[in-house]
Amino acid sequence: MSTNPPDLRPDLAPTAQLRDGRRAGQPSIGMVSLGCPKALVDSERILTRLRAEGYGVSPDYAGADAVIVNTCGFLDSAKAESLEAIGEALDENGRVIVTGCLGADPEYITGAHPKVLAVTGPHQYEQVLDAVHAAVPPSPDPFVDLLPASGVSLTPRHYSYLKISEGCNHKCKFCIIPDMRGRLQSRPAHAVLREAEKLVDNSVRELLVISQDTSAYGVDIKHAEDRGHRAHITDLARDLGSLGAWVRLHYVYPYPHVRQLIPLMADGLVLPYLDIPFQHAHPDVLKRMARPAAASKTLEEIAAWRDVCPDITLRSTFIVGYPGETEEEFQTLLDWMDEAQLDRVGCFQYENVDGARSNALPDHVPAEIKQDRWDRFMAKAQAISEAKLAAKVGQVVDVIVDEIDEDAATCRTKADAPEIDGNLFIDEGFADLSVGDIVQVEVDEAGEYDLWGRLIKS
């Protein structure tokens, strides 16, 4: 049984869960998947392709003929974590193929680890497969190496990430993701729906929609309609909502058309949950970030969303200590938080990232001031969270069961995304529950980030 808050870095996905299902003599590949949920989806696709070619998947270094490390390059701390993971894989296995965002700079990797077998960039699936073929030739058995209909999943069986696009058209000065992953590339809507249908057919109860900019889905392909499905986030959300699973939207920029999603939430087609990267509230800081600078209008939008769907949960991430941030600008952010009353909040201290334009900005904030502002921001966010959760005591809520141990069933409400938000714990009468069940619970206790409740028998 675990409690929040988790690590508040915004680029972390749930830990990959590998299951060993090899036959005797089958060549086997290990996978270390770092970074965000989008990278986790890339790892799933790579392993699905390898499974189709007859490879097994090893959950440990010792059983693998080679190891793929899918890296993150979002922050310098993430780069350091990636290099450490590559080094560990080399020490434990010795045959390592590197892919992912950090692979966009191969010299950076080979400079630290010259013994890696190959380096490929993000979503370069064919190059990864070529590197695996060179290191560990395939040896398929056509009678037993059958690909499951749902592919290879690195998350628990009852929820799955659904990537709808790749890349981003924004030019935020602190971010190099567009340089690594390119401009927006939306998947056809019918392909997304087909994948979602297969996931639901294979007992997935929750679909977590992800991309770099979910609101912009379909812009690059002019919202094309194909096979009865239009590539627009409102249409896609409505189509996904018809499948009977929970649908949760992540990384939604607050464009005006986002308000069209809110009635779908009020009607129960989509979970009343928006994950929106506001990043800051002071217009001058937002301008230095090269982001939209209309914080006051954002407050008006939030009020309008809550008018239509009072139960909506709003999650966001913020940067404190951005170059040039003054105490007055930071105080504006705290005051904005008082007004916005966001339900779920993550925050990280600004870091320089190689290649980011923000590195050249003047007046970088000293480390001790960044830490002080982070502490003050998180104290406010925690107080807001604690008050909002206390108001839920006595309410009856739907929860999805994520984990069961001898102490309790660990669940999530509709207001909680896996790993990054809170949990609801049922510590009595949970013996008959199974992972993936969706049940009703009466909330009887609240903490700073988590809830406890009593199972209502149906």
Side-chain angles (χ1 to χ4, degrees):
M1 185 173 80
S2 62
T3 58
N4 280 333
D7 187 315
L8 290 170
R9 248 180 54 197
D11 58 317
L12 295 176
T15 303
Q17 299 187 6
L18 293 169
R19 303 171 185 89
D20 194 352
R22 292 171 292 168
R23 58 175 167 80
Q26 185 179 27
S28 185
I29 303 298
M31 173 67 80
V32 177
S33 189
L34 304 172
C36 64
K38 294 178 286 294
L40 193 70
V41 172
D42 289 342
S43 296
E44 291 176 340
R45 289 179 178 173
I46 291 167
L47 290 180
T48 296
R49 293 283 297 275
L50 290 173
R51 280 284 304 277
E53 294 184 355
Y55 291 90
V57 180
S58 175
D60 53 49
Y61 292 119
D65 296 301
V67 176
I68 300 170
V69 180
N70 192 358
T71 58
C72 179
F74 183 68
L75 301 168
D76 284 351
S77 55
K79 292 181 178 181
E81 180 185 32
S82 293
L83 289 181
E84 182 180 352
I86 295 167
E88 178 181 297
L90 285 168
D91 291 341
E92 297 292 334
N93 183 277
R95 298 166 62 78
V96 177
I97 296 162
V98 179
T99 189
C101 287
L102 198 58
D105 186 1
E107 291 78 14
Y108 182 85
I109 294 169
T110 56
H113 297 297
K115 293 184 180 180
V116 297
L117 299 177
V119 179
T120 73
H123 55 89
Q124 293 182 343
Y125 307 127
E126 299 300 332
Q127 291 91 328
V128 176
L129 294 174
D130 289 344
V132 171
H133 295 159
V136 185
S139 180
D141 183 332
F143 296 103
V144 297
D145 291 332
L146 300 176
L147 182 66
S150 60
V152 176
S153 175
L154 298 179
T155 54
R157 298 181 189 277
H158 62 288
Y159 68 80
S160 182
Y161 292 101
L162 183 66
K163 187 192 285 189
I164 63 173
S165 65
E166 189 59 82
C168 180
N169 290 344
H170 291 283
K171 297 181 179 179
C172 304
K173 288 187 177 181
F174 57 83
C175 183
I176 59 172
I177 295 297
D179 296 329
M180 293 187 290
R181 290 185 171 262
R183 292 179 62 80
L184 179 69
Q185 294 181 325
S186 300
R187 297 175 61 195
H190 69 84
V192 176
L193 262 294
R194 184 170 63 247
E195 180 182 351
E197 288 167 353
K198 289 181 179 179
L199 290 168
V200 174
D201 286 345
N202 283 277
S203 301
V204 167
R205 307 295 304 276
E206 180 178 8
L207 299 167
L208 298 111
V209 176
I210 57 169
S211 67
Q212 205 65 43
D213 180 359
T214 296
S215 307
Y217 171 68
V219 168
D220 56 311
I221 55 177
K222 296 180 170 41
H223 301 304
E225 183 170 339
D226 188 6
R227 305 179 206 183
H229 299 287
R230 178 172 174 251
H232 188 285
I233 186 57
T234 306
D235 298 68
L236 180 66
R238 186 181 295 108
D239 288 342
L240 291 173
S242 69
L243 300 180
W246 283 12
V247 177
R248 190 180 301 276
L249 302 178
H250 285 281
Y251 314 125
V252 178
Y253 282 74
Y255 303 139
H257 68 263
V258 168
R259 65 188 64 150
Q260 300 169 14
L261 292 168
I262 311 305
L264 303 182
M265 299 178 181
D267 292 342
L269 276 177
V270 178
L271 291 185
Y273 180 101
L274 279 181
D275 176 7
I276 300 180
F278 290 122
Q279 306 297 12
H280 211 279
H282 195 284
D284 292 343
V285 177
L286 291 168
K287 185 176 181 179
R288 292 197 298 274
M289 291 177 169
R291 292 181 64 81
S296 59
K297 291 185 178 179
T298 300
L299 288 172
E300 294 173 6
E301 283 293 306
I302 289 173
W305 298 340
R306 286 174 170 155
D307 282 343
V308 176
C309 183
D311 293 334
I312 193 170
T313 295
L314 300 178
R315 150 168 264 284
S316 190
T317 53
F318 295 86
I319 300 172
V320 295
Y322 191 77
E325 183 189 58
T326 65
E327 177 62 26
E328 179 185 358
E329 290 170 341
F330 175 68
Q331 186 60 50
T332 296
L333 173 59
L334 295 184
D335 294 341
W336 186 91
M337 282 286 292
D338 279 330
E339 290 193 64
Q341 291 287 300
L342 301 183
D343 303 86
R344 303 285 188 240
V345 173
C347 180
F348 63 101
Q349 300 175 41
Y350 171 81
E351 294 181 18
N352 277 344
V353 178
D354 287 343
R357 293 180 295 155
S358 57
N359 299 354
L361 290 173
D363 302 322
H364 281 242
V365 177
E368 63 272 14
I369 295 179
K370 288 193 286 189
Q371 182 64 51
D372 174 70
R373 290 177 181 171
W374 186 90
D375 291 339
R376 289 156 62 195
F377 180 91
M378 290 310 301
K380 180 171 291 292
Q382 177 180 304
I384 293 172
S385 173
E386 187 171 14
K388 282 181 166 284
L389 293 183
K392 293 181 181 292
V393 173
Q395 294 183 12
V396 174
V397 296
D398 294 329
V399 304
I400 189 167
V401 180
D402 279 345
E403 181 183 347
I404 299 173
D405 60 24
E406 61 183 12
D407 297 318
T410 302
C411 314
R412 287 179 294 110
T413 72
K414 294 179 179 179
D416 302 301
E419 300 288 330
I420 60 173
D421 292 330
N423 294 311
L424 183 146
F425 301 103
I426 304 172
D427 52 17
E428 293 181 359
F430 59 90
D432 294 333
L433 293 179
S434 299
V435 170
D437 285 349
I438 296 177
V439 296
Q440 286 197 316
V441 171
E442 182 178 349
V443 179
D444 56 21
E445 185 179 347
E448 295 167 347
Y449 297 99
D450 301 303
L451 298 169
W452 284 258
R454 176 181 59 85
L455 181 65
I456 295 178
K457 299 295 184 180
S458 57

